[in-house]
Amino acid sequence: MKRIVWMGIGVAIGVIAFRKITEAQANLGPEGLNRAVGRMADGLFDFADAVRTGTHQREEELRAALGIDDAVSSRL
């Protein structure tokens, strides 16, 4: 009975190790590098969009608080 348990544990460890090695090889190849760079670029673009949106909203709040929009629209 002990041999079957240890054999099952060994098989489970072997399957986990095989999956990890296969995943690591996929990440080290050109496709893995392209995926990593693509994810990083997507994250950077998302961050830039969030900063741009926040900046625009804050600028509108400041213009409204200072009354700059009213002065500019009355001159036009």
Side-chain angles (χ1 to χ4, degrees):
M1 187 67 175
K2 286 184 180 182
R3 288 184 182 186
I4 293 174
V5 171
W6 285 111
M7 189 169 124
I9 292 172
V11 168
I13 290 172
V15 169
I16 291 170
F18 179 76
R19 283 186 170 181
K20 292 290 183 181
I21 290 170
T22 303
E23 182 181 327
Q25 285 176 342
N27 288 336
L28 292 177
E31 295 86 15
L33 183 61
N34 285 341
R35 278 192 304 268
V37 170
R39 275 188 247 127
M40 186 171 51
D42 288 343
L44 183 63
F45 287 130
D46 290 343
F47 176 74
D49 285 341
V51 168
R52 199 174 303 119
T53 301
T55 303
H56 184 67
Q57 289 174 350
R58 183 64 180 148
E59 185 177 353
E60 287 178 353
E61 292 172 1
L62 290 173
R63 286 182 178 275
L66 295 174
I68 295 174
D69 285 335
D70 297 333
V72 172
S73 61
S74 65
R75 289 185 205 164
L76 297 175

